[in-house]
Amino acid sequence: MIKTVQTKPYTDQKMGTAGLRRKSKVASQENYVENFVQSIFDAIGGVEGQTFILGGDGRYYNKVAIQKILKMAAANGMKKVIVGQNGFISTPTSSRVLLKNKADGGFVLTASHNPGGPNGDFGIKYAVSTGGQCPTSLSDKIYANTLNIKEYKILETADIDLSKIGVQKLGDMEIEVIDSLQDYVDMMENIFDFEAIKRLFKSGFTFCFDAMNAVTGPYAQKIFEDILGAPKGSVVNYVPMEDFGGLHPDPNLIYAKDLVNLMWSDKAPDMGAANDGDGDRNMILGKKFFVTPSDSLAILTDNYKLIPAYKDGIYGVAKSAATSRAVGRVAKALNIGYYEVPTGWKYFCNLMDSKRITFCGEESFGTGSNHIREKDGIWAILFWLNIIAETGKSVEEITREHWKKYGRSYYMRNDYEIADAELANKLMNDLEGRLPSLEGKTFGAFKVSEAKPFIYDDPVDGSSTKNGLIVYFEDGSRIVYRLSGTGSSGATLRVYLERYETKSFNENVEKYLEPLADVSRQIGEITERTGKTKADLLT
Ligand code: G1P
Ligand code: ZN
């Protein structure tokens, strides 16, 4: 029976950089998910006759929310929902399944790399028919709906069993439970030279993939161990858990600690890699060697000819403004299009849809291509394995040769956790006001050449977005300031530091960037306003 439920609005359902992300305790309040979902359905003029994709990274509250969404979809007249088996689907796979089935939209229940569990985070990402996240114009409309919502529709019925592959009915709606894993494997096989990678593993190449108790464990076991022949045990933490076993499933040097310890030990395999909670982020490591995501994007782009799917040529490449400019140098050398966009994957999607770019990436461990409209963790790792298989060189050799050829961007992100969001907003607003007065001033060894907000005029849809503030220095260094759009409480000030060198490669990146970090605190009045003399997290 279809039930219309009266509800009261929540005022905090504005989507951020990657959908709606909230503390599990907030998201599990009465009607919280229902309000948000109905607001989306209403914003797109109803979902009658439509097909949606649904699944999540398996974190706490996924199961409950999936049942709610299915029952609401049926009550709102949706034609069909395609669901990952047991409700699991990685973010890249969801994009693939959405595109392949020409679906009208989709939900991925994830807070990406944020911790899960009752005390962790929960999230809902809403994708549109192009396979990417919804444009700002639509998310604004959805937010307006959440502020005015009075009722939602839901089917009163028992929970649906999502363990069996196949089609079932929920009222008049069809639910198709799919093995999303096979779809993803087929796609990867069509992009990379699996035979070459098989030979690499056969030759004794060793590898460790840390799935961080999150959604890509089963994908990684199947692809790396079963198909490509990496030794059994190469994939660790492969069972997805509701709280990620207490891990913070963010693949970086801080949170992927076990993998980092292994890679810096005498037992280190030839390559180490990790993904985040929903499988769209990646980290690449060699023996005692870390590849920054900015360098990784540049290196993949420079080696596109080695990959079957790209060898005949690529469109351009894009990066978020905060990402280092390493890939810009490659784009110039290859004479391909190059775009700098605001943070958030949706800006890349327009460029991919309009065939302006093939590859894109962010400093936050996200890399991808136009095979889907999300970043893709396993794709990036397979790309590296394919390059290694073709060149016979190690992760470190490939990276060092890249620096030799193009110079090196020393790069680091400093995050300051600021409990008082208002204080953080004021810090940014005041800094923006001071920008013009900075030009020509000297801070330590750094002289400001230009200081301005980053403004992106989308060449495809004509929209204009301001995202962050950039200070350029005469020696080619750069500081980017922006506030995070994915936090679930308070504010995170992100400060991105970059220095460029063509010679004498200094190995201690943190130390080398320390003077610039000092300047960033001075220019942003960070210590003065927050009391912090050091960032809370360096990545
Ligand atoms: C963060 C990253 C950004 C990424 C997003 C979603 O957003 O910085 O690059 O696209 O997560 O994974 P932020 O919190 O900085 O807004
Ligand atoms: Zn993610």
Side-chain angles (χ1 to χ4, degrees):
M1 202 182 74
I2 295 175
K3 203 170 132 192
T4 302
V5 181
Q6 305 302 312
T7 183
K8 288 207 180 71
Y10 287 96
T11 54
D12 66 340
Q13 297 198 318
K14 194 177 169 73
M15 287 190 237
T17 315
L20 185 70
R21 199 172 290 181
R22 293 291 175 262
K23 290 272 161 232
S24 300
K25 289 221 164 79
V26 172
S28 56
Q29 294 172 93
E30 193 182 10
N31 297 340
Y32 195 90
V33 166
E34 290 89 334
N35 279 11
F36 184 65
V37 170
Q38 188 69 51
S39 298
I40 292 175
F41 288 172
D42 295 344
I44 55 178
V47 291
E48 223 163 293
Q50 297 201 352
T51 298
F52 263 55
I53 307 299
L54 176 63
D57 61 6
R59 69 177 60 223
Y60 173 78
Y61 209 59
N62 259 2
K63 282 190 189 135
V64 179
I66 285 175
Q67 295 291 338
K68 289 180 191 234
I69 294 172
L70 284 172
K71 292 172 192 175
M72 287 183 67
N76 278 274
M78 203 177 276
K79 184 171 143 225
K80 181 174 177 178
V81 181
I82 303 173
V83 195
Q85 190 175 18
N86 295 313
F88 282 97
I89 204 161
S90 72
T91 288
T93 308
S94 73
S95 185
R96 153 77 171 175
V97 175
L98 199 156
L99 291 170
K100 195 181 143 196
N101 289 281
K102 299 194 170 53
D104 301 288
F107 294 111
V108 184
L109 308 184
T110 175
S112 187
H113 51 284
N114 291 12
N119 297 314
D121 287 358
F122 178 76
I124 304 181
K125 286 210 300 194
Y126 163 57
V128 292
S129 62
T130 49
Q133 288 161 50
C134 72
T136 312
S137 52
L138 179 54
S139 57
D140 286 347
K141 206 165 158 190
I142 294 166
Y143 178 51
N145 283 355
T146 65
L147 296 175
N148 290 310
I149 189 160
K150 292 190 181 63
E151 55 185 45
Y152 63 85
K153 284 200 188 106
I154 192 159
L155 203 68
E156 269 197 316
T157 177
D159 279 359
I160 302 104
D161 179 7
L162 300 173
S163 64
K164 276 189 291 305
I165 307 277
V167 179
Q168 52 184 300
K169 278 270 182 174
L170 180 65
D172 293 332
M173 187 179 82
E174 201 175 280
I175 295 178
E176 184 183 358
V177 178
I178 57 160
D179 170 10
S180 58
L181 224 153
Q182 193 54 46
D183 255 345
Y184 185 81
V185 171
D186 294 345
M187 176 169 63
M188 291 300 115
E189 231 167 350
N190 281 322
I191 296 176
F192 299 105
D193 187 345
F194 270 31
E195 291 311 313
I197 303 174
K198 276 184 204 169
R199 284 196 296 275
L200 176 70
F201 282 122
K202 223 176 193 159
S203 75
F205 186 83
T206 52
F207 176 63
C208 179
F209 174 90
D210 191 339
M212 303 190 84
N213 302 321
V215 76
T216 49
Y219 292 80
Q221 274 196 319
K222 175 144 182 172
I223 294 176
F224 299 124
E225 293 185 4
D226 300 352
I227 300 178
L228 295 172
K232 273 259 162 280
S234 296
V235 176
V236 299
N237 294 326
Y238 50 79
V239 180
M241 296 182 196
E242 284 205 334
D243 66 348
F244 308 116
L247 289 182
H248 187 150
D250 198 0
N252 61 40
L253 294 176
I254 313 287
Y255 295 129
K257 224 174 32 223
D258 290 348
L259 178 68
V260 170
N261 288 342
L262 172 72
M263 295 309 294
W264 264 260
S265 77
D266 295 337
K267 291 196 199 78
D270 295 309
M271 179 174 159
N275 279 175
D276 71 332
D278 61 329
D280 56 359
R281 294 187 174 198
N282 76 90
M283 175 168 70
I284 304 291
L285 301 170
K287 282 184 203 269
K288 297 192 172 67
F289 194 82
F290 166 61
V291 185
T292 67
S294 300
D295 278 344
S296 180
L297 175 64
I299 290 165
L300 301 188
T301 304
D302 203 28
N303 284 289
Y304 76 89
K305 284 202 175 121
L306 301 178
I307 309 300
Y310 309 117
K311 69 175 192 320
D312 295 334
I314 52 174
Y315 303 118
V317 61
K319 70 165 193 73
S320 64
T323 302
S324 101
R325 290 164 292 176
V327 72
R329 296 189 281 273
V330 175
K332 194 164 171 211
L334 297 177
N335 196 22
I336 55 172
Y338 172 56
Y339 300 84
E340 265 198 319
V341 306
T343 292
W345 213 255
K346 64 183 171 196
Y347 301 98
F348 295 133
C349 293
N350 274 350
L351 298 172
M352 291 193 264
D353 290 343
S354 60
K355 296 195 169 24
R356 284 175 164 82
I357 61 164
T358 299
F359 300 140
C360 52
E362 298 184 309
E363 52 68 42
S364 55
F365 297 80
T367 337
S369 91
N370 60 358
H371 64 291
I372 51 170
R373 294 295 179 270
E374 293 277 3
K375 51 197 175 229
D376 190 340
I378 288 183
W379 171 87
I381 295 163
L382 285 169
F383 204 139
W384 269 93
L385 285 168
N386 205 151
I387 294 175
I388 294 167
E390 288 297 333
T391 61
K393 289 175 186 153
S394 70
V395 171
E396 177 166 353
E397 283 167 337
I398 291 166
T399 310
R400 288 197 184 281
E401 281 180 14
H402 179 84
W403 292 338
K404 229 179 179 169
K405 191 165 158 195
Y406 290 102
R408 176 175 177 188
S409 280
Y410 286 84
Y411 182 87
M412 206 168 214
R413 183 173 99 183
N414 288 1
D415 286 345
Y416 298 85
E417 297 301 340
I418 303 175
D420 180 355
E422 228 152 82
L423 190 145
N425 283 324
K426 184 149 174 19
L427 186 152
M428 284 296 284
N429 287 337
D430 292 351
L431 173 57
E432 185 168 351
R434 288 196 307 278
L435 288 180
S437 71
L438 294 174
E439 292 188 6
K441 273 201 187 141
T442 300
F443 297 86
F446 302 90
K447 186 168 180 198
V448 178
S449 54
E450 207 184 358
K452 57 180 185 190
F454 173 71
I455 293 168
Y456 177 63
D457 295 315
D458 194 307
V460 184
D461 64 20
S463 64
S464 184
T465 309
K466 187 167 83 177
N467 189 250
L469 310 171
I470 311 187
V471 182
Y472 298 91
F473 299 90
E474 274 182 358
D475 69 346
S477 303
R478 209 176 65 136
I479 303 174
V480 181
Y481 298 84
R482 59 178 286 279
L483 291 178
S484 157
T486 58
S488 54
S489 60
T492 305
L493 171 65
R494 305 206 196 280
V495 181
Y496 308 84
L497 309 170
E498 181 179 355
R499 287 180 81 173
Y500 178 62
E501 283 287 343
T502 48
K503 285 191 264 347
S504 70
F505 297 124
N506 186 318
E507 289 311 314
N508 192 330
V509 179
E510 192 179 331
K511 201 157 164 223
Y512 181 70
L513 290 176
E514 194 48 43
L516 194 60
D518 281 338
V519 171
S520 75
R521 282 184 283 269
Q522 207 183 327
I523 289 180
E525 298 182 352
I526 296 174
T527 307
E528 214 173 304
R529 291 170 183 242
T530 68
K532 291 181 191 260
T533 52
K534 211 177 169 294
D536 297 294
L537 183 69
L538 309 175
T539 51

